[in-house]
Structures are given as C-alpha cells and as structure tokens.
Amino acid sequence: MRKNYWARAPQPRRQIVLFQSTLDDVVSADHPVRIFAELLDDYDWSEWEAGYDGTRGQPPIHPRILAALWLYGIRRGVRSSRKLEYMAGWNLDFMWLAEGHRPDHTTLSEFRTRFKEELKGLFRKVMRIALAAGLARLAGVASDGTHIQANANRFDTWTQEKAEAYLAQLEAEFQQRLATIDAARRADDALPEPHSGELFEELGGDSENQQLPPELLDQQARIEHLRDIKQRLEMADKVRAKDGIDPLKNPAQIPMHDTDSKIMPNKEGGYAPNYTPIATTESHGGFIVDATVTSEISDSQTLVPSLDRIEAEHGEYPELALADGAYASGPNIRALEERGVEFLSHITEPEPATNPAVRPDPTAPVPESLWIELPISKQSQTLDKACFVYDEAQDIYWCPLGQALTYECTKTEQKNGRRHEWRVFRCASCEGCPLREKCVAKTNQSGRTVTRDVYATDRERLAKQMREPGQKERYDQRMKIAETPFALIKDVIGLRQFLLRGLEKVNTEWRWTCLAVNLDKLVRGLLRLRHEFAQQAS
C-alpha cells in the first residue's frame, strides 16, 4: 500500500490559520437549525423577559437561547440538563444555536420548570404558524394516552401501616426536640416564659410557625406531608374494600419518591409508578394540538377538556374527533354531540347481523334452532345484554322468548368522583323458562335483570353510526394519527421515564417534549415549502 494513500487532514490540529473562521461558517446554509432559530427569533419573548430582575447581578442568558437549547436538544434525544450543558459547549450546531454561551446544568434545569405558563404561549404560537402555513388543520383530531414511568422506585412505596408507623416516629422526635428547646429556654432567665406543650400540638397555626426554630419547620412540613399521604391511603383502602379487595392483604400503595404518581401497568409489562400523558393530534400534519398529563390510570375523562382547550386556544372545535373504545363513554358521546363535533369510536357489542335476538317483532320468540347463536357475556357467562331489545315507546325490554322486562327501580353509585345512575328492569317470567340456565345466574333467585343508564341511548346512537358504510375505514385512521407521536417520543426522543417529579413538573416536561416535536415538524414543513417555492420560481 502506498505511503501517502490516506487522505490528508484539511486542517491539522496544530496548524496556524491566517483567517479565523466564524461560528456561522461551521453550520451549513441549509441546516435545519437555522430555520429552528429563525422561528424562535421572531417570537415575542417579553413575557419570559419579565421573569428576570434586570437591576442587579450579572446579565443573564436570554430565555430565547435557553428555550432553543432545550427544544432542539429534546428533539435530538438530549433530555438531561448535564448532557445539554456538554452539547452547548462542544457540539457545533448546539454552539451555534447558543451563540457561544455555555450555560451550566443548574441554570438549564431551573429554566425548564420556571416558565410553565409562558411555555403554553409558545406552544400556541407554534401551532398557529403551522395552521397559517397550511401544514396543520383542525378539521379532525385523534386523542390518545399512554403510560410512562415516573422517576420513582417501584418497591419504595407507602402503605397505610407503614405511613402510620413512620408518622408516629416523626411526631415523637418532634416532641422530643421541642422538649429540649423548652428546657434550654427554662435555663435562661433572660428569655420570656416558655410555651407549654399545648402550643405545639396543633402544627398549622401561623403564630406558632413563627416561633418554631428553622430546623423544626422542615420536620413539621414532613409531618404534614406524611399526614396527607396517610389520609390518601385511608381513602384508597376504603375504595378497595368496596371493590372486594382486602386492604390488609393487598393495601393501597403510594410511591415514596413521587407521591403524585400511581402504581399502574407498564406498557412493557409489569407494574411501576407511572403517569398517563395525553396527546391530541390533528390529522393533516400530525401536530400535537393539546398535551397534558394525568395521574389516573384511565384517560377517558380527558377528551372533552382537551377539545375545550383547543377551542379556547384557536377559536373553533375540530369537526371530527377519533378515540379508542375507552373514550366511548356516555358523557363523552353526549358532550361532543352538544359541541357539534362528530365522534367516531369503537363500541363493543355483537353485530346485529349475527345476533338472532335483533328481530322485526321482539314480542315473537327467537326460534329454538337459533338459541345457540345468541351472544354470551364473557363476564357472567350468561346471555349478553344485546339479547334483550329495548322498546322505547313502552319503556320495557323484550327477552329472546318475547317476555317483557319491566322497570323495577333506579339505583345510584358514586364512583371515581362521579355519580352514576341506572334503571333496573326485571323479568317476572323466568320460572320454568327453557332458557333460564343460559340466561339467569345461579345465585339469582328473582329473575333476570337488565340495567339501562341515562347514556344508553347515546351509546346506541353511536353504535348505529359506526355501522354505516365507510365509518369503520374513517375510524381506522385513528391509530396512525394518535399513536405516531407516542412512537416518536418514546423510540426517537427516548422518553420512557420522566426525569422530573410531581404532577405539575411532569406536565411541564411533557409540554416541552410535545412542543419540541411540533417545532421540528414545523421546521421540516417550512423547508419543504421553501424548496417547492424555489423550484417553481426557477
């Protein structure tokens, strides 16, 4: 092989240069970071600037630069403040974006959680630019949620028993330290009369807090925090007992390191402290129009508030909303209909074409040869509710043998903070019925019952709509629209566990992430439009 085979270094490390290159020279003219910076340069940062005191201290780095670093870094998988500090000092496109500033990780970390309200305004501005450029449209949206792990250990959790024991220990230590302070006061005649122990029994009065030494104020805050956790666990155990779960054998748990999170099933399997981030995505360009986080396992109650926020931000409701079957609840169906939003979702019910109970005359019995085709409930292993036809004119149900189930009573229940009400219909002709074994549970001695809540008509109307030609094909677009952002955020950005703790901070971290996704989409969309315009102009 020739001695001079290898390419020579264009600029050896120790070579002296005659003309010093600028920072702008090292970033190509068509690099996306330039459009990225251009968009943020045009934004009005006055609300962010108002958060600084310009009368003292060293001049701070402008919030435009710090926000740009976070958004550009997140989109490229840089989520840690320490790693972002390194990139701003050694990576060329990050150095260009930071204009040579090298913020430390503490400055970056504090900035990320400081401007949570101003961040909403920037999120709104990016969406409005995308809408104005035709890159996004509000005609149709799809909403979905996922589970992402909290920054907490699965096995370090509070239970009611554990919280009570630790609280008793903290309160004993607190009283012991108070006694030591009182003893010191008694030894000093110059001090006023000591306060009695009763003064510190109620740990919440302002006058008392002012007289506590600083070292005890922190311990008092810990006691109050633990009392709140204990109260939450007591309520959770009561709910579990109502659901048939023995709290002594399987008590409620709250993660110690992030008490706002909840133990939920992981998407990857198993259980861990999780949050449920929600994203509502528009169908044209895949921009995330609304983003929020809840600590509840179910995200079905987030759909209507999300669309209301979209209307508040942009002045109009989407024409179409897509969501999976978990969102197809009566309140959601009715609320979207009242707002004039078309709603497509999956309704779990037997197909009428394959259900012999759906017949022209419900008073006529289903032929015995078709009994084997009557749908069976997977839960009770008895005839499914779909076997009973509701007669709205007479307000009764007809069973497969043409017997009437008449209204008996109305029941109510408080569940998940909401009041549920349903009407009970019971059959009086079950005795001696040939379908009794398939229809009535063995523990039921009073005849088959069917319940109907106030939203039954709404669900039936949605089910009928979903059976119309073409609706299933329209609904099938939901998966691509709603789940693509989560695939990008989890697999490309790498957000499978939140770095921050507490629901408020996690919400801010999620909004930074969704804004980074939107800004990257906007940059690529504008680059494409500019390229198309240049081709047409040439």
Side-chain angles (χ1 to χ4, degrees), residues 289-346:
V289 192
D290 182 70
T292 189
V293 178
T294 177
S295 58
E296 300 300 325
I297 297 177
S298 172
D299 53 0
S300 61
Q301 298 182 20
T302 63
L303 177 59
V304 176
S306 176
L307 298 186
D308 286 345
R309 286 192 296 268
I310 293 173
E311 191 277 335
E313 297 287 347
H314 305 290
E316 62 177 306
Y317 282 105
E319 298 174 7
L320 171 67
L322 305 173
D324 63 30
Y327 292 81
S329 63
N332 283 345
I333 297 169
R334 184 174 296 182
L336 294 188
E337 188 172 273
E338 292 172 351
R339 288 160 173 76
V341 179
E342 184 183 4
F343 182 43
L344 298 183
S345 184
H346 177 68

Side-chain angles (χ1 to χ4, degrees), residues 141-197:
V141 298
S143 187
D144 202 5
T146 188
H147 292 168
I148 292 182
Q149 290 190 32
N151 188 359
N153 191 310
R154 164 68 182 92
F155 302 101
D156 291 340
T157 59
W158 292 112
T159 62
Q160 187 175 344
E161 181 181 2
K162 191 182 296 185
E164 286 176 348
Y166 192 62
L167 180 60
Q169 178 184 341
L170 275 182
E171 289 175 337
E173 291 177 0
F174 187 78
Q175 293 298 329
Q176 183 178 3
R177 297 181 72 178
L178 283 179
T180 303
I181 293 172
D182 275 353
R185 283 174 172 168
R186 295 175 192 277
D188 191 347
D189 294 334
L191 290 176
E193 287 297 319
H195 301 278
S196 65

